[in-house]
Amino acid sequence: MSRVPPLDPATLTAEQQRVAAAISGARKNVRGPFTIWLRNPALAEHANAFGVALRDSSKLDRRLFELAVITVCRAWSVQYAWSSHAPAAEAAGVSPDVVAAIRDNRKPELKRDDERVVYDVATELMQTKELSQATYDRAIAQFGIEGTVDLVSTVGYYAMVGIFLKSFDVPAPAGDRPLK
Amino acid sequence: MARLDPLPVEQLSPQQKLIHDKIKGNRPKLGGPFGVLLRNPALATAASGLVDALRGEGKLDKRIYELIVLTVARHWSAQYAWAVHEPIARGLGFSEEMVEAIKARRRPASAKPEEALVYDAVTELLAGKVLSTAIYDRLIKQFGLDVTIELISTAGLYSMISTILNGFDVPAANGEKPFA
């Protein structure tokens, strides 16, 4: 059980209704961290906008975005975000073997250069809290400055989301714990 | 030296210029994380909205806010963020002991009880990647749910900002390195 129950839709203020509609428009419904952030609509609105700008980035395709997301979810053991993004990663073309390896904390066998760069950037930033010059240079060569800005921002954003979900102990929807 | 210099103002697109001017406000120039994020104006706008929601409009006490920022900046060794926020914290009355302890990753002995609680919560969350029920319950009792949401969001936001700063190795403005 999440530490914080979702708000009763009948009790939302006009501002909360406006933000909930914007989130639902971009994400089908208000779920996960947004059920809690909605208690502070300004936070919910801008957190949603940051995430949607990355998900819909024209500089980093969806397959690479989802690979970055699941790598960060694994680093923080974020059950809820893993359960929604692991299927999204596979749907976007990340190999199921890669998803399983990341889930089990094994180094995935990545066959594409762009995926290796994404995995290395996310892993280094989360594990060493820095990005080596060599990995940074590979990211710039692969994605350019703007793509690298979106990639590093994706890693940072999901660290923020993970910290938030962990703090309020938001479970995976089915109550399972995919990350051991 | 920075990996990525902020775009010169005269090279900004009209949309970037608009957002630049709005975020810059009274600052002498727009650097740090916003210098990076302005490459993707939607990200700069949303990140600025998150900072405003927490720092400008938030209910969180300003000392507690800066305590969280310094503790997070120290965790990630984000030189730029520390260099900006240390003087702000001192201006709010942080003692030498408070600042030096956080910088040395020690629990500050001179912290007030509610500050010590926040320090414990943030360090447990970032170092242990979990927030124990005991500490969560104390936060709710001390601050209530709305301020606890702000407090956790601040820890998350500055983790995101620190990740971006570290990804682009953004130096402190005067080239100092508060963390060796």
Side-chain angles (χ1 to χ4, degrees):
Chain A
M1 261 281 283
S2 171
R3 285 171 171 162
V4 180
L7 293 164
D8 176 352
T11 67
L12 298 184
T13 65
E15 180 64 1
Q16 285 170 324
Q17 286 177 30
R18 183 185 69 76
V19 173
I23 295 170
S24 300
R27 299 175 187 271
K28 296 195 186 113
N29 50 26
V30 178
R31 300 185 293 145
F34 296 103
T35 64
I36 300 174
W37 264 325
L38 194 58
R39 290 170 184 267
N40 184 327
L43 285 181
E45 178 170 34
H46 298 298
N48 176 58
F50 200 98
V52 168
L54 293 167
R55 184 196 67 187
D56 298 342
S57 165
S58 58
K59 310 289 178 191
L60 189 71
D61 70 56
R62 188 67 183 267
R63 171 178 55 92
L64 300 168
F65 167 79
E66 296 292 350
L67 177 62
V69 173
I70 63 170
T71 305
V72 177
C73 290
R74 172 64 269 187
W76 287 84
S77 298
V78 190
Q79 306 287 352
Y80 174 87
W82 178 275
S83 73
S84 66
H85 285 280
E90 291 191 19
V94 179
S95 137
D97 290 346
V98 167
V99 175
I102 293 172
R103 181 194 63 209
D104 298 341
N105 272 326
R106 287 180 283 115
K107 193 167 167 53
E109 282 185 42
L110 296 162
K111 298 198 168 59
R112 300 192 193 199
D113 282 343
D114 55 4
E115 293 183 359
R116 277 192 287 272
V117 174
V118 166
Y119 177 81
D120 288 348
V121 166
T123 303
E124 266 187 42
L125 277 169
M126 292 296 101
Q127 289 182 0
T128 68
K129 307 188 186 87
E130 357 177 276
L131 189 59
S132 64
Q133 191 62 42
T135 304
Y136 177 81
D137 290 343
R138 283 167 58 212
I140 295 291
Q142 188 79 46
F143 304 117
I145 288 172
E146 291 175 355
T148 303
V149 168
D150 285 4
L151 172 58
V152 170
S153 298
T154 298
V155 174
Y157 177 74
Y158 278 88
M160 174 171 82
V161 168
I163 286 166
F164 196 78
L165 289 167
K166 294 295 293 265
S167 295
F168 295 103
D169 206 15
V170 177
D176 55 333
R177 299 182 71 79
L179 302 175
K180 306 297 178 226
Chain B
M1 214 188 76
R3 283 174 175 166
L4 184 62
D5 289 323
L7 288 164
V9 176
E10 59 277 11
Q11 285 179 25
L12 298 177
S13 70
Q15 190 198 11
Q16 284 171 322
K17 181 72 170 61
L18 200 71
I19 292 162
H20 168 276
D21 292 350
K22 184 161 173 264
I23 299 172
K24 180 175 164 290
N26 296 325
R27 299 174 172 123
K29 72 181 182 88
L30 196 61
F34 291 107
V36 174
L37 289 172
L38 202 57
R39 305 268 175 167
N40 181 336
L43 295 182
T45 303
S48 170
L50 287 168
V51 172
D52 289 347
L54 291 167
R55 191 184 194 174
E57 302 147 29
K59 296 180 200 142
L60 190 58
D61 175 82
K62 298 303 167 220
R63 268 180 68 104
I64 302 276
Y65 182 91
E66 295 301 331
L67 170 65
I68 297 169
V69 174
L70 287 186
T71 306
V72 172
R74 172 63 273 196
H75 174 81
W76 294 96
S77 298
Q79 310 275 4
Y80 178 92
W82 181 278
V84 169
H85 285 274
E86 184 193 318
I88 298 173
R90 288 186 188 275
L92 289 169
F94 277 47
S95 67
E96 184 69 18
E97 193 275 334
M98 279 277 275
V99 172
E100 289 306 316
I102 297 167
K103 198 170 175 177
R105 296 197 167 105
R106 277 187 285 107
R107 190 176 195 256
S110 58
K112 298 173 190 165
E114 70 272 22
E115 292 171 344
L117 170 60
V118 168
Y119 180 85
D120 288 347
V122 173
T123 48
E124 180 180 72
L125 190 51
L126 296 183
K129 300 191 170 78
V130 65
L131 188 63
S132 63
T133 301
I135 291 198
Y136 178 81
D137 289 346
R138 287 172 60 208
L139 288 174
I140 294 293
K141 194 169 167 215
Q142 178 75 41
F143 298 104
L145 178 56
D146 287 350
V147 171
T148 300
I149 288 172
E150 289 187 18
L151 201 150
I152 300 297
S153 297
T154 303
L157 174 63
Y158 279 86
S159 290
M160 177 172 95
I161 288 173
S162 295
T163 300
I164 294 165
L165 291 169
N166 289 349
F168 290 92
D169 201 18
V170 176
N174 55 6
E176 66 176 304
K177 285 206 172 274
F179 315 125

